[in-house]
Amino acid sequence: MQNFTFHNPTRIIFGEGQIAALDAHVPPNARVLITSGGGSIKSNGVLAQVQAALGERAWHVFSGIEPNPTYETLMEAVALARQKNVDFLLAVGGGSVIDGTKFIAAALKFDGEPWDILARQAPVREAVPFGSVLTLPATGSEMNNGSVISHRAKGDKLFFTSDATYPLFSVLDPTTTYSLPPRQIANGVVDAFVHIIEQYLTYPVDAKVQDRFAEGLLLTLTEVGPQALAEPHNYAVRANLMWTATLALNGLIGAGVPQDWATHMLGHELTALHGLDHAQTLAIVLPAMLSVRHESKRAKLLQYAERVWNITEGSADERISAAITATRGFFERMSVATRLRDYQIDEQSIDKLVAKLDEHGMTQLGEHGDVTLEVSRQVYQFAA
Ligand code: NZQ
Ligand code: ZN
């Protein structure tokens, strides 16, 4: 096992009816900016529950944070927060709203041009405190310090992390997910699955607990993912999905092990250039990535084949190939297509995608730093 430091300061408040607990966790005198997306929290009644829980506190709402939140929109929220003199942010929504709120929180305290936080990785030392009410199990943003922001004008999608951008708390009420459309449930399952893979499917370092935790989370997703689509109001299924997606990216399974993240980086360019949902990009890139890099991931691919997919027969190459096929099959069973052509993207765009990776310095990705631009090109080609 590798050396590590693990610290996660986010308090999780989990279960049906827990939005009411906001009253105990938002500072009593806070001037709150509620940040939200395109309207789902109004139609499903979540906003009303939040407002009731805030009681007499002064609050304003900023709505309109879009999926793949943009710098342009978030800077409007920064202006509103300044104008209203707010001192606490409450993100109510999915990963995009929470990621966007991390950026707003950081930008409000940042000296200089806030896009530098993404483009130049300018350190974020301070942020306005914030909490979240999660309505979409997927990204893990509710219990991590990462944020992925797009710049519409530049066609960039970049990330930052900071110790100052962990949510103080996150409320996870599985009943808030009942109103999700099937596409977003499927996206969430695929995103969480790939988060686990990015931290698990690298090379062995004899980290037994991390491996078995990761395998347990993967197995849970293969079980509850299809159930979540089939039975939208099954509380137990939604609760298991929600907690699995949080644990998939809260630092626990990634502590002390090598991490990959190349699939995410290639996926971000696909969203930036073609507007695909984040999870759609991962479903396209991951099977191709595993195929192209099967030699360097050989030992872990064999372990994954046996422990997650119960594949124990055939030669090593056959088992690896069967595990990759099972992975693709799982995404397709969740109704997320896995080829570029399924989204009307042809091979001509590969040059542009590779040029963007180059522009963003993504030239030595993966756990060995050996995913060069040439390897990335092969992955996109394999995914065609
Ligand atoms: O905008 P509203 O009206 O709220 O609708 C949203 C949105 O259209 C809807 N939705 C959310 N909760 C709902 C609901 N509709 C009905 N009922 C509910 N309860 O779902 C749509 C998608 O929402 P979004 O927040 O974009 O989805 P997700 O949670 O998948 O977040 C994706 C974003 O997170 C980033 C991605 O890059 C992408 O920008 N990621 C963040 C990570 C992190 N911070 O650690 C890691 C991930 O790898 C990922 O990159
Ligand atoms: Zn992701």
Side-chain angles (χ1 to χ4, degrees):
M1 199 186 303
Q2 299 175 343
N3 291 2
F4 66 89
T5 300
F6 177 67
H7 173 73
N8 190 313
T10 302
R11 181 189 303 270
I12 296 295
I13 304 153
F14 192 98
E16 182 166 14
Q18 291 279 35
I19 292 175
L22 282 174
D23 189 30
H25 298 283
V26 176
N29 300 320
R31 292 184 303 278
V32 183
L33 184 65
I34 299 170
T35 51
S36 70
S40 70
I41 64 164
K42 281 194 194 123
S43 42
N44 63 13
V46 170
L47 180 60
Q49 290 181 60
V50 167
Q51 290 170 341
L54 289 179
E56 298 299 305
R57 292 173 184 81
W59 51 262
H60 302 274
V61 180
F62 180 87
S63 56
I65 298 179
E66 58 278 78
N68 308 305
T70 65
Y71 164 79
E72 287 89 342
T73 300
L74 300 171
M75 289 308 289
E76 291 175 28
V78 169
L80 180 68
R82 289 220 166 96
Q83 188 199 334
K84 302 292 184 191
N85 198 21
V86 306
D87 56 14
F88 194 90
L89 305 176
L90 184 60
V92 186
S96 293
V97 172
I98 302 175
D99 278 14
T101 303
K102 291 174 181 175
F103 178 76
I104 298 164
L108 281 167
K109 297 276 187 180
F110 189 74
D111 198 13
E113 164 52 60
W115 183 244
D116 286 351
I117 296 170
L118 287 305
R120 295 175 195 269
Q121 295 288 295
V124 171
R125 299 202 170 84
E126 236 193 317
V128 171
F130 67 97
S132 90
V133 177
L134 178 70
T135 64
L136 198 177
T139 65
S141 188
E142 65 279 7
M143 199 179 178
N144 70 39
N145 64 351
S147 165
V148 191
I149 306 297
S150 299
H151 196 300
R152 215 182 293 135
K154 296 184 199 285
D156 289 341
K157 181 172 186 185
L158 300 171
F159 72 95
F160 78 96
T161 60
S162 160
D163 281 351
T165 51
Y166 282 97
L168 279 187
F169 61 79
S170 287
V171 176
L172 278 59
D173 177 343
T175 66
T176 64
T177 74
Y178 290 170
S179 56
L180 279 164
R183 168 172 161 184
Q184 298 303 342
I185 282 288
N187 279 350
V189 170
V190 170
D191 192 21
F193 194 93
V194 179
H195 293 159
I196 302 161
I197 293 283
E198 299 271 31
Q199 300 162 90
Y200 163 76
L201 224 167
T202 56
Y203 56 88
V205 291
D206 202 17
K208 295 186 197 304
V209 172
Q210 292 89 326
D211 277 6
R212 291 203 165 98
F213 256 129
E215 288 151 0
L217 296 174
L218 290 169
L219 285 165
T220 305
L221 287 175
T222 61
E223 184 181 331
V224 300
Q227 287 174 337
L229 287 180
E231 305 166 44
H233 290 257
N234 184 324
Y235 180 81
V237 166
R238 292 296 167 108
N240 280 295
L241 174 56
M242 206 165 203
W243 189 222
T244 302
T246 300
L247 289 170
L249 196 50
N250 73 346
L252 187 63
I253 63 167
V257 298
Q259 302 193 16
D260 184 340
W261 298 107
T263 295
H264 268 70
M265 296 309 121
L266 270 65
H268 288 171
E269 302 303 352
L270 275 168
T271 296
L273 282 183
H274 295 285
L276 268 53
D277 292 351
H278 173 61
Q280 293 173 334
T281 73
L282 304 176
I284 295 168
V285 175
L286 182 71
M289 184 72 78
L290 296 178
S291 300
V292 168
R293 292 168 64 203
H294 70 270
E295 270 312 321
S296 70
K297 290 180 178 289
R298 196 172 178 81
K300 271 314 207 29
L301 273 166
L302 286 167
Q303 181 179 326
Y304 169 66
E306 180 177 347
R307 294 198 194 167
V308 176
W309 297 111
N310 205 17
I311 297 166
T312 52
E313 300 198 345
S315 68
D317 284 337
E318 284 165 351
R319 281 176 277 150
I320 287 173
S321 159
I324 297 171
T325 301
T327 308
R328 185 188 295 283
F330 176 58
F331 297 160
E332 289 174 351
R333 258 201 323 286
M334 294 301 297
S335 304
V336 185
T338 62
R339 308 270 185 190
L340 285 173
R341 59 178 174 272
D342 298 326
Y343 302 88
Q344 288 75 50
I345 299 172
D346 61 33
E347 288 198 50
Q348 283 169 357
S349 70
I350 293 178
D351 280 344
K352 281 192 216 134
L353 291 162
V354 173
K356 274 292 187 186
L357 283 172
D358 193 14
E359 181 187 327
H360 297 143
M362 305 288 172
T363 56
Q364 292 180 309
L365 298 172
E367 63 272 21
H368 298 293
D370 60 354
V371 181
T372 58
L373 293 178
E374 193 39 47
V375 176
S376 293
R377 177 183 298 281
Q378 285 171 30
V379 172
Y380 285 132
Q381 282 166 343
F382 199 97

